[in-house]
Amino acid sequence: MKNFTITGAEKTPFLTWYLDGLKDKFSSEGYKFCEEPAEEIKIVFNVIDQEKPRPYRRKAQATFVVSILEKNDEPEDVFETAYPFLIRSLANHLIFIVHNSEKTNVYFITPEQGFYKLSYHSEEDAEDFIHMTYKRLEPVASAQLVIDNHFADDLEQNLWNGNEITKKMYVSGKKLDEMNLLPAPFPLERYLSERDMRQLKKLYGIGGLSYGNLSSRHNDQTFWMSASGVNKANMRVIGQDILYIKGFNSEKNAMEVSVPPKISPKRASVDAIEHWMIYKEHPDVGAIVHIHAWMDGINATEINYPCGTIELAEAVANLVRKAKDPARAVIGLKNHGLTITGRNLEEIFERIEGQVIPQVPMA
């Protein structure tokens, strides 16, 4: 059902105007506004307070929460100031509104570090401003997440300690670190209580925020992939640092993961569905690397879908399909980073050496 609600802290006159505009826009596009959150609410606009940014407690994983925070002075580093509020309020998106004497800047921030803005100058801009906000939010809010994992302790014994492929993944993870492409995992524990951490893991499949991942094909049907929230520069333990992905279970909407017995597995990277789609369609693709960086002259997705959604996976797979050589493609993910295919990991790193731009352009 396409429905939404507005909740949270007390609203200023600007927020009242802004949210009334979004309410009218979403309603005109076929969404039903609920005065009270329904059991299966699709989108929640949650106004938070800077001192006590209370999360909206979801009843369903599919609920997309947009936290909204307003300030009257622009911080020296907007992203660094705003990002913790996204995490503390357990949101899929943060709208960070900053007023100054000339205009109002509205920053959009995602868990994957997507960061871009719209500016509002006067009432003459009002309709366009609300429309642009809708265009930014609606596609990502309506996307379908694939972040559940179905673990089975049936990994073949000869793979419990990995193989030559996983050894090369370990080397490649260290290479990403040497290229300064692995920011430290975001310290969630600094901002979240134990209850919040449990909620985050349950609803998002997030055990920690670390950026970048890599995978390598095992055979026609399966592949190895770095796990979520682990140190990619030191991937050693099978079932925790590196996972054996068997496939995608469409009935359960979950990735199938095989692990050694008697191990507490880490979750698969949320990008596993994207990698699975690419390997399934292109037999010549032997490895995939995802980094939060950029390269000149590449094709990129149009919409910044959240990681772990069917829509992002399909958008990237479509661009790989259209590439001159799908087994050697470099695809940009808007406001996010790169997905790079190759015949093996060594070949990928040879191709991108000296070509990578650390700063992702935001638009």
Side-chain angles (χ1 to χ4, degrees), residues 226-239:
S226 54
S228 173
V230 300
N231 181 3
K232 307 300 190 299
N234 189 30
M235 298 188 296
R236 296 179 182 273
V237 181
I238 303 303

Side-chain angles (χ1 to χ4, degrees), residues 41-76:
I41 198 77
K42 182 62 181 173
I43 305 172
V44 175
F45 293 98
N46 182 38
V47 179
I48 60 174
D49 179 82
Q50 184 171 341
E51 300 304 319
K52 293 183 178 180
R54 296 185 184 278
Y56 172 82
R57 296 288 175 183
R58 298 165 180 76
K59 295 181 176 64
Q61 189 184 66
T63 298
F64 189 92
V65 176
V66 182
S67 288
I68 303 175
L69 179 63
E70 186 179 26
K71 283 180 67 70
N72 289 317
D73 57 314
E74 186 133 355
E76 186 173 330

Side-chain angles (χ1 to χ4, degrees), residues 215-217 223 275-282 285 287-288:
S215 68
S216 193
R217 185 188 290 276
F223 61 96
H275 290 221
W276 174 78
M277 279 190 182
I278 295 170
Y279 284 126
K280 186 167 176 280
E281 183 175 352
H282 303 288
V285 174
I288 302 171

Side-chain angles (χ1 to χ4, degrees), residues 71-74 98-105 107 120:
K71 283 180 67 70
N72 289 317
D73 57 314
E74 186 133 355
V98 179
H99 302 289
N100 59 46
S101 58
E102 298 177 357
K103 60 185 175 181
T104 294
N105 287 325
Y107 296 91
Y120 172 70

